[in-house]
């Protein structure tokens, strides 16, 4: 009687699993304290297999950040589809962001712990995440606001991203603040400055 061979996990699925576990470990322990041995053990693979997929611990961290950035972009873009006004678009986008950081705490933890990652490629990846969100907001503004001044539009988008990042960190200290409440706080401040340029 022959024993059926255990089905091998497809490469893409295995990679997603590795990234998910690594995200947990990096978020819990911090990048410096996290070990490839521990990540490999939790995934149920050998350490050499981790290196085969990602080349290094930093490579694995970069993959985690890139996946988080892609997920954040997707939820933000999806949320603003069908917005009927500049105010509606901004509110939808902000709510998507605050829901993301509540539901994807580990991903958000990686994106915000920049100081611990200075000197690694991860710091550049985190800045690319900010640029991504700034570009998305600037594009959103161009669709709904009177943007005769490109520099002003870009500056406004940078302001929104920076303000929301700080508010998100504040929300971590205030578990009772819901994504909807955080969105309301942000809109109270941000929309008052942007509404004058609404079409």
């Amino acid at each position: 009687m022959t024993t059926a061979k255990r089905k091998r996990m497809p490469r893409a699925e295995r990679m997603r699993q590795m990234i998910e576990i690594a995200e947990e470990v990096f978020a819990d322990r911090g990048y410096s304290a996290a070990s490839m041995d521990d990540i490999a053990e939790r995934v149920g693979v050998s350490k050499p297999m981790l290196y085969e997929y990602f080349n290094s611990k930093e490579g694995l961290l970069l993959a985690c950040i890139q996946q988080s950035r892609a997920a954040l972009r997707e939820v933000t873009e999806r949320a603003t589809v069908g917005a009927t006004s500049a105010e509606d678009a901004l509110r939808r986008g902000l709510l998507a962001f605050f829901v993301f950081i509540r539901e994807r705490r580990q991903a958000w933890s990686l994106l915000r712990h920049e100081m611990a990652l200075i000197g690694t490629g991860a710091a550049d990846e985190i800045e690319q995440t900010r640029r991504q969100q700034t570009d998305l907001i600037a594009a959103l503004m161009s669709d709904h606001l009177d943007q005769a001044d490109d520099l002003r539009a870009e500056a406004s988008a940078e302001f929104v991203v920076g303000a929301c990042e700080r508010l998100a960190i504040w929300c971590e200290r205030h578990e009772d603040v819901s994504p909807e409440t955080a969105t309301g706080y942000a809109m109270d401040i941000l929309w008052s400055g942007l509404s004058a340029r609404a079409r």
Side-chain angles (χ1 to χ4, degrees):
M1 183 173 155
T2 59
T3 305
K5 289 184 178 179
R6 188 167 60 180
K7 188 177 179 181
R8 291 189 60 177
M9 186 179 290
R11 183 179 178 89
E13 188 177 339
R14 173 67 77 191
M15 183 176 288
R16 276 194 303 274
Q17 181 190 39
M18 291 174 174
I19 290 172
E20 286 173 9
I21 297 297
E23 188 178 278
E24 292 175 12
V25 175
F26 289 138
D28 290 344
R29 298 189 177 183
Y31 174 68
S32 297
S35 76
M36 293 290 269
D37 287 303
D38 186 28
I39 294 169
E41 184 178 344
R42 291 198 197 187
V43 175
V45 299
S46 65
K47 187 164 73 169
M49 181 177 282
L50 277 182
Y51 282 101
E52 178 187 334
Y53 276 68
F54 301 103
N55 297 318
S56 65
K57 185 168 82 166
E58 184 177 328
L60 180 53
L61 175 66
L62 295 181
C64 290
I65 293 172
Q66 288 162 0
Q67 179 170 286
S68 297
R69 183 170 72 226
L72 178 58
R73 181 185 184 96
E74 181 182 353
V75 299
T76 306
E77 288 184 327
R78 190 169 60 237
T80 57
V81 171
T84 57
S85 66
E87 184 176 7
D88 183 38
L90 183 61
R91 187 179 299 277
R92 288 183 184 207
L94 292 177
L95 181 58
F97 170 71
F98 288 113
V99 168
F100 178 88
I101 67 167
R102 174 65 63 93
E103 294 181 350
R104 299 282 306 274
R105 291 175 189 269
Q106 292 165 339
W108 167 244
S109 178
L110 287 181
L111 293 175
R112 77 172 182 81
H113 284 116
E114 180 178 19
M115 292 307 293
L117 302 173
I118 288 175
T120 72
D124 292 335
E125 287 294 331
I126 290 170
E127 182 55 29
Q128 284 301 312
T129 301
R130 288 194 185 101
R131 289 296 321 158
Q132 166 189 284
Q133 295 307 108
T134 300
D135 291 345
L136 282 172
I137 292 167
L140 192 65
M141 289 178 177
S142 70
D143 288 341
H144 293 282
L145 299 179
D146 183 10
Q147 295 293 349
D149 185 343
D150 289 340
L151 277 179
R152 181 184 289 272
E154 187 175 335
S156 298
E158 292 282 358
F159 186 84
V160 170
V161 169
C164 289
E165 187 174 322
R166 289 304 309 170
L167 186 57
I169 293 170
W170 176 83
C171 286
E172 292 181 6
R173 303 197 304 271
H174 298 274
E175 285 285 325
D176 55 326
V177 175
S178 69
E180 290 77 13
T181 300
T183 299
Y185 290 163
M187 286 295 294
D188 286 346
I189 302 298
L190 298 172
W191 183 243
S192 63
L194 295 170
S195 59
R197 298 184 355 247
R199 289 175 182 158

